[in-house]
C-alpha cells in the first residue's frame, strides 16, 4: 500500500475541507487540524497514488479559492 499525506494551511480550513470531502474517494480521508486541512490518500500502486494526489491538488486549489471569496446570496 502506498500512502501520502497532504497538509495545507488556510484562513478557513473548515470551508476548504467541506468543499473537498464530496470529491474524496474511498481511499481518501480529509480532516482539519488547527488551521490545516490534512488529507491522507492510500492506493495500491505508486501510479494510482500519483494520479489521485494530482486530482486532489486541482480540487484543493479550487476549494481554497472559493473559501477565500465572500459568498453572498441574492435571497435575503
Amino acid at each position: 500500500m502506498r500512502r501520502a499525506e497532504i497538509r495545507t494551511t488556510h484562513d478557513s480550513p473548515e470551508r476548504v475541507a467541506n468543499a473537498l470531502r464530496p470529491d474524496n474517494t474511498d481511499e481518501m480521508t480529509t480532516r482539519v487540524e488547527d488551521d490545516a486541512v490534512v488529507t491522507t490518500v492510500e492506493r495500491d500502486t505508486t501510479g494510482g497514488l500519483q494520479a489521485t494526489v494530482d486530482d486532489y491538488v486541482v480540487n484543493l486549489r479550487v476549494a481554497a479559492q472559493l473559501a477565500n471569496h465572500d459568498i453572498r446570496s441574492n435571497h435575503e
Side-chain angles (χ1 to χ4, degrees), residues 6-10 13 16 20 35-38 56 60:
I6 301 105
R7 177 182 297 267
T8 55
T9 57
H10 305 275
V16 174
L20 288 167
D35 64 344
V37 175
V38 182
Y56 173 81
L60 175 62

Side-chain angles (χ1 to χ4, degrees), residues 1-3 10 16 50 54 59 61 73:
M1 185 68 67
R2 310 298 191 260
R3 182 179 196 186
H10 305 275
V16 174
Q50 180 180 0
D54 286 347
N59 293 341
R61 181 176 292 143
S73 172

Side-chain angles (χ1 to χ4, degrees), residues 59-70:
N59 293 341
L60 175 62
R61 181 176 292 143
V62 172
Q65 289 172 347
L66 291 174
N68 288 332
H69 290 296
D70 184 22

Side-chain angles (χ1 to χ4, degrees), residues 22-52:
D23 291 324
N24 282 1
T25 64
D26 292 340
E27 298 90 2
M28 302 170 70
T29 59
T30 297
R31 64 189 183 280
V32 173
E33 294 180 1
D34 299 320
D35 64 344
V37 175
V38 182
T39 298
T40 303
V41 181
E42 292 184 342
R43 296 292 305 269
D44 291 331
T45 66
T46 302
L49 179 65
Q50 180 180 0
T52 302

